[in-house]
């Protein structure tokens, strides 16, 4: 059993830190259908939340990354201007689908 926060700390935290140093960041998730990729990235699909979970123990990598980025922007010097660009795509059967 691995906690969602541990997954983020192992995979996402360093990427967020590097983004604030000017690097692009990518998290690529690969695996068999039903292996838990969506759960790891988003958290559980709770009724009424349309795929977003804000439970601090269960939310996935994406909500944690977004939260960390916006916290970093908010804490930064007010004279720094940020441009954030996000892509969220699925590659399935050699077809790319934009999930945003």
């Amino acid at each position: 059993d691995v906690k969602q926060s541990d997954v983020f700390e192992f995979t996402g935290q360093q990427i967020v830190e590097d983004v604030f140093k000017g690097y692009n960041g990518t998290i690529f998730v690969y695996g068999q259908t039903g292996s838990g990729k969506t759960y790891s990235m988003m958290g559980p699909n709770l009724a009424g939340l349309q795929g977003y979970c804000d439970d601090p123990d269960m939310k996935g990598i994406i909500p944690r990354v977004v939260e960390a980025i916006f916290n970093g922007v908010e804490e930064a010097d007010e004279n720094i201007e940020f441009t954030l660009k996000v892509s969220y795509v699925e590659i399935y059967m050699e077809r790319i689908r934009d999930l945003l």
Side-chain angles (χ1 to χ4, degrees):
D1 277 331
V2 177
K3 297 185 297 186
Q4 291 281 61
S5 60
D6 293 339
V7 175
F8 169 72
E9 289 173 15
F10 186 76
T11 61
Q13 185 66 47
Q14 186 63 51
I15 292 172
V16 172
E17 291 172 14
D18 289 344
V19 163
F20 281 98
K21 295 175 185 173
Y23 295 98
N24 293 324
T26 300
I27 298 175
F28 187 86
V29 182
Y30 177 82
Q32 182 176 336
T33 299
S35 63
K37 299 175 299 296
T38 301
Y39 181 86
S40 294
M41 293 303 290
M42 295 299 295
N45 189 8
L46 302 174
L49 293 178
Q50 299 178 332
Y52 179 78
C53 173
D54 61 357
D55 180 314
D57 294 326
M58 300 182 76
K59 64 184 173 182
I61 294 172
I62 291 174
R64 291 174 193 274
V65 165
V66 169
E67 187 175 271
I69 288 173
F70 279 98
N71 285 342
V73 168
E74 192 171 285
E75 293 169 3
D77 184 304
E78 64 183 39
N79 296 317
I80 298 174
E81 184 176 313
F82 292 90
T83 301
L84 303 174
K85 296 180 182 181
V86 176
S87 298
Y88 184 29
V89 297
E90 171 185 69
I91 303 171
Y92 182 70
M93 296 186 68
E94 298 182 21
R95 293 184 185 215
I96 299 173
R97 186 172 81 155
D98 186 349
L99 297 176
L100 293 178

